[in-house]
Amino acid sequence: MTVKNDILKNLRHELRKGTLVLAVLSQLRQKHYGYSLVETLNKKGLSIDQNTLYPLLRRLDTQGLLKSTWEVVEPRPRKYYQLSDLGHLILNQLQEDFENNYQVLNNMFKEKK
Amino acid sequence: MELLDRYLLQVQRYLPLKDREDTIKELKGLLLEDYDNRIENGENNEDALYNLLKDFGDPKEVALKYRNDAPIISREMEPFLYLVLKIVIITAPAGILLARLIDFASSNETFNLMKILLEVFYSMPAMVEGAIFGAGFVFIMFFLVGRYITPNIVLEVNEFEPNHLPLIPSKVFKVSLFESVFSISAGILFLYLINYQQGLISIYLDGNSYRLLNDHFNDILSFININVMFGIVISFIHVFKRKKTMVTSTLELMSTMFGGAIFLMLATGSIFNEVIIDGYDLDIIPTLFVIGMYVGAVLSFIGGIVIYVKVIIQRSGTEELIKDTIRKLDEL
């Protein structure tokens, strides 16, 4: 049972990892800072650890998919993120790929039935 | 918010240098947002901060998520690497020193404490070389094992406890600019006097001055010069850093140990001009000097170690752990 749970846990983690970037990029069509993005994703049903999201935002920013700006908002400054032009292109492509994969998988599941 | 600052200090340690400031600034803001949210939801200040940090996780794990580079040595093998490195860095130089002392002892030379100490000093470059090559060899072996054998190691990780985070370096570790500049100036003046104005160390009798120190002192002088210059270098580092770090504390320990050994050399070195001492019946001077040097040596060795251990305890946060343990024992 423990072996099965471990395998399931690892595979779920792999499955989720692939979609996390897409989910995050999709929300960054609007400007967000880290904490507001966590709350937005949680409200929409995608629970994510803060210590997973914040490094991810930084990585996407470094890759040029996001543009970031510091804004002084009382009581403390916040770093806001939004999709860059490259980010929009990549998101559109990834979304298309995801929808295609979803369709293919759906057909496979129907075949099994 | 001291606990938050302690947490962020630990995260910062493991972040890449170029991203540190920006990442910590952002992370602090985000954690404070979460903290405010928890307060609004009814948690008290202390619990909100503690739970926030506990949920966020071990600072090293958090920092590693910000790193894009893959570690050279895997995280599972890291504890073993550090353990083996510690063993090698101590045993390699100790082995070299032991070999040289045995070689020295089995030679036909008549020896005294000063010659032994000289032998130890001359062995130091070989000891440092041994430590460096040993450490390098261990690192390469671990890299190759990790790369080509990939052992299956399961690490037992201790649960992260925010209250055991190391303390922020206190005022004890701050070094004022005046203190550093004074140390450098005093060191340079001392070097000038001891090397170029040895005539000042004289006995003035019947209108004449007689040099108190003989040529044996010059054998030890080079070591005194090295130690003083070492101290000047440490003071220069303090000028820029304005605080004591683990590196400078370790260098100070080495300098203090070295100083202790120099005290011993001065005590056993028969450095006084015997013609003057015997001629003017000044035996009290060498006697007092020898006693003073032995006391200096003991104070250097013991004092240096005590100060260094205190620094380690304060820096590692072990102090909090010890206090916590004592508190729990009292409750029992």
Side-chain angles (χ1 to χ4, degrees):
Chain A
M1 199 61 157
T2 313
V3 171
K4 176 201 159 195
N5 286 343
D6 284 343
I7 294 170
L8 188 59
K9 188 179 164 190
N10 286 337
L11 290 173
R12 273 183 174 154
H13 178 72
E14 291 293 321
L15 183 65
R16 202 180 127 88
K17 210 168 146 186
T19 51
L20 205 58
V21 171
L22 192 51
V24 167
L25 288 175
S26 71
Q27 297 308 297
L28 288 173
R29 286 193 176 104
Q30 278 81 49
K31 202 161 69 169
H32 278 286
Y33 63 100
Y35 192 70
S36 69
L37 187 56
V38 168
E39 289 194 319
T40 304
L41 289 169
N42 282 338
K43 274 180 196 159
K44 292 187 178 180
L46 185 77
S47 69
I48 180 169
D49 287 334
Q50 292 178 61
N51 63 15
T52 301
L53 178 64
Y54 301 155
L56 175 59
L57 285 173
R58 202 151 188 97
R59 182 162 63 86
L60 296 172
D61 190 18
T62 311
Q63 287 172 334
L65 301 184
L66 306 176
K67 49 188 182 191
S68 59
T69 49
W70 279 100
E71 288 181 24
V72 180
V73 177
E74 286 301 315
R76 59 188 69 88
R78 286 175 181 158
K79 193 169 188 180
Y80 282 86
Y81 296 91
Q82 197 172 10
L83 284 180
S84 64
D85 293 338
L86 176 64
H88 277 288
L89 283 171
I90 297 290
L91 173 60
N92 291 339
Q93 188 61 58
L94 284 176
Q95 191 175 340
E96 201 180 309
D97 290 348
F98 179 80
E99 281 164 0
N100 288 339
N101 288 344
Y102 174 79
Q103 204 55 53
V104 165
L105 278 168
N106 221 13
N107 292 339
M108 285 182 185
F109 292 145
K110 281 177 187 166
E111 271 176 28
K112 185 194 168 213
K113 281 175 188 170
Chain B
M1 290 295 155
E2 192 229 341
L3 193 59
L4 179 61
D5 290 333
R6 282 160 64 187
Y7 183 84
L8 291 171
L9 191 67
Q10 293 310 306
V11 174
Q12 191 179 298
R13 277 179 67 191
Y14 298 102
L15 288 173
L17 210 62
K18 64 178 175 64
D19 295 330
R20 253 177 216 182
E21 205 181 313
D22 199 61
T23 305
I24 292 299
K25 185 179 168 187
E26 187 186 5
L27 202 52
K28 187 172 184 177
L30 293 166
L31 288 171
L32 285 172
E33 294 268 359
D34 193 351
Y35 171 77
D36 289 344
N37 196 40
R38 286 170 189 253
I39 298 291
E40 274 173 30
N41 287 340
E43 280 187 71
N44 70 48
N45 291 8
E46 215 177 292
D47 287 344
L49 187 56
Y50 179 90
N51 292 332
L52 160 67
L53 296 179
K54 187 99 178 160
D55 291 344
F56 211 74
D58 186 88
K60 187 176 176 183
E61 296 295 323
V62 168
L64 290 175
K65 287 184 182 179
Y66 279 92
R67 298 188 77 110
N68 296 321
D69 49 344
I72 298 172
I73 306 292
S74 72
R75 297 236 283 276
E76 289 76 21
M77 288 180 73
E78 234 177 45
F80 301 103
L81 169 67
Y82 290 138
L83 177 65
V84 174
L85 276 176
K86 277 180 199 167
I87 293 169
V88 166
I89 284 170
I90 293 167
T91 54
I96 290 169
L97 177 63
L98 187 64
R100 289 187 76 143
L101 285 174
I102 291 170
D103 182 50
F104 174 78
S106 60
S107 68
N108 288 327
E109 281 191 55
T110 52
F111 58 89
N112 57 29
L113 181 60
M114 184 152 142
K115 284 192 178 177
I116 293 173
L117 287 170
L118 279 171
E119 188 61 32
V120 169
F121 290 133
Y122 292 140
S123 304
M124 276 183 182
M127 288 161 69
V128 170
E129 201 180 314
I132 292 171
F133 277 112
F137 177 76
V138 165
F139 192 86
I140 289 169
M141 289 312 296
F142 267 78
F143 170 73
L144 291 173
V145 166
R147 178 85 186 261
Y148 295 108
I149 300 174
T150 54
N152 188 12
I153 299 170
V154 176
L155 264 186
E156 244 186 67
V157 180
N158 291 330
E159 204 181 318
F160 166 57
E161 176 51 56
N163 286 329
H164 294 162
L165 285 163
L167 299 172
I168 293 172
S170 66
K171 285 181 191 171
V172 169
F173 299 117
K174 291 214 186 295
V175 182
S176 72
L177 185 62
F178 172 77
E179 195 182 322
S180 305
V181 169
F182 180 80
S183 298
I184 292 167
S185 309
I188 292 170
L189 181 64
F190 180 81
L191 284 174
Y192 171 71
L193 290 172
I194 206 83
N195 286 279
Y196 296 107
Q197 300 293 338
Q198 282 187 25
L200 289 173
I201 310 171
S202 304
I203 289 286
Y204 297 89
L205 292 166
D206 304 329
N208 297 315
S209 74
Y210 304 95
R211 268 195 63 177
L212 205 52
L213 304 174
N214 61 25
D215 289 339
H216 287 164
F217 178 74
N218 292 332
D219 291 337
I220 304 168
L221 184 58
S222 46
F223 295 107
I224 296 174
N225 288 340
I226 289 168
N227 205 28
V228 173
M229 283 191 276
F230 198 48
I232 290 172
V233 166
I234 295 171
S235 296
F236 264 115
I237 297 172
H238 286 154
V239 164
F240 292 107
K241 288 270 185 185
R242 302 291 270 279
K243 64 177 181 187
K244 293 187 185 191
T245 62
M246 272 314 295
V247 171
T248 59
S249 298
T250 306
L251 291 175
E252 279 180 337
L253 174 70
M254 288 166 64
S255 176
T256 311
M257 294 292 118
F258 197 3
I262 289 172
F263 277 126
L264 285 177
M265 290 168 78
L266 288 167
T268 59
S270 303
I271 61 169
F272 288 98
N273 189 338
E274 282 173 13
V275 173
I276 302 299
I277 297 297
D278 292 340
Y280 288 92
D281 203 20
L282 296 170
D283 294 320
I284 188 77
I285 295 177
T287 306
L288 287 175
F289 183 80
V290 166
I291 292 170
M293 290 301 105
Y294 276 123
V295 169
V298 167
L299 288 175
S300 292
F301 289 133
I302 295 174
I305 291 169
V306 165
I307 289 170
Y308 190 68
V309 167
K310 271 179 78 174
V311 166
I312 290 174
I313 287 173
Q314 278 199 296
R315 281 199 174 273
S316 67
T318 317
E319 200 171 21
E320 280 298 317
L321 183 58
I322 291 169
K323 281 181 188 166
D324 223 21
T325 311
I326 292 171
R327 212 178 303 128
K328 282 179 184 162
L329 285 170
D330 282 339
E331 280 167 16
L332 285 173

